[in-house]
Amino acid sequence: TLRAQGAQESAMRFHRFYDARYRGQSFELQIEHDASIRAIVRRFHAAHRARYGYAVEEEAVELVNARSTVAAAREPTAGPSVSASRAGASPHRVERSRRLWLDGTFTEIRVFAREALHAGSEIVGPAIVEQYDCTTYVAPDWSGQVLGDGILSLEHL
């Protein structure tokens, strides 16, 4: 999967862990893999001591789960470009307004549709930007600008 996403095999880093606990406990600690089971048990006792302030070294240690992950850095790719002007899109097109409880009173604020914003669009708070998967609140004394890659960047004025 990582290769299909453009990662080079030489950049892949594999990590192996165990979820371990004292026999009878209902919670585990994550312990890094080692080729030596004795080293794993020592690591568990040290992790238990660090987390809970004690270790019971004569107690049996159970390995409950074995986990393996792989991660790789890849060369950054250019993100999607957002056009500076879309047909019919205005950076200040207010879809509607909404009453918001702000500083002890209801205030009518602008609500923008995210898909109506384009590169260079600026919004001064208070405002709300809505899109299908999230809502962004632009607080008073804050502004937002849509960058060329489509990111809505917020900054305090």
Side-chain angles (χ1 to χ4, degrees), residues 22 29 31 40-52 54-55 57:
Y22 287 123
L29 295 173
I31 308 301
I40 293 168
V41 169
R42 278 194 305 273
R43 287 179 182 171
F44 172 77
H45 290 309
H48 198 279
R49 186 176 295 107
R51 168 80 54 88
Y52 301 107
Y54 71 96
E57 296 190 11

Side-chain angles (χ1 to χ4, degrees), residues 16-118:
R16 295 185 289 176
F17 299 92
Y18 299 104
D19 292 337
R21 66 184 180 197
Y22 287 123
R23 185 185 343 239
Q25 283 185 320
S26 59
F27 56 90
E28 295 84 31
L29 295 173
Q30 192 175 72
I31 308 301
E32 236 182 284
H33 168 77
D34 193 287
S36 163
I37 191 69
R38 287 188 176 152
I40 293 168
V41 169
R42 278 194 305 273
R43 287 179 182 171
F44 172 77
H45 290 309
H48 198 279
R49 186 176 295 107
R51 168 80 54 88
Y52 301 107
Y54 71 96
V56 187
E57 296 190 11
E58 61 277 0
E59 185 66 45
V61 174
E62 297 177 326
L63 301 182
V64 179
N65 297 305
R67 301 179 189 276
S68 179
T69 62
V70 62
R74 64 183 180 120
E75 293 298 317
T77 58
S81 177
V82 177
S83 122
S85 63
R86 293 182 184 154
S90 163
H92 301 292
R93 189 171 101 197
V94 176
E95 293 295 312
R96 62 182 192 279
S97 63
R98 179 178 300 159
R99 289 178 45 148
L100 180 74
W101 185 259
L102 189 62
D103 295 328
T105 185
F106 279 104
T107 303
E108 199 75 21
I109 65 168
R110 299 166 297 154
V111 178
F112 295 88
R114 179 70 170 90
E115 62 274 6
L117 302 176
H118 53 78

Side-chain angles (χ1 to χ4, degrees), residues 91 93 95-96 98 109-117 121-139 143-146 150 152-154:
R93 189 171 101 197
E95 293 295 312
R96 62 182 192 279
R98 179 178 300 159
I109 65 168
R110 299 166 297 154
V111 178
F112 295 88
R114 179 70 170 90
E115 62 274 6
L117 302 176
S121 294
E122 291 189 31
I123 297 171
V124 176
I128 292 176
V129 179
E130 292 181 331
Q131 67 186 59
Y132 75 94
D133 61 346
C134 75
T135 301
T136 304
Y137 172 63
V138 183
S143 69
Q145 180 176 20
V146 179
L152 177 58
S153 175
L154 299 177

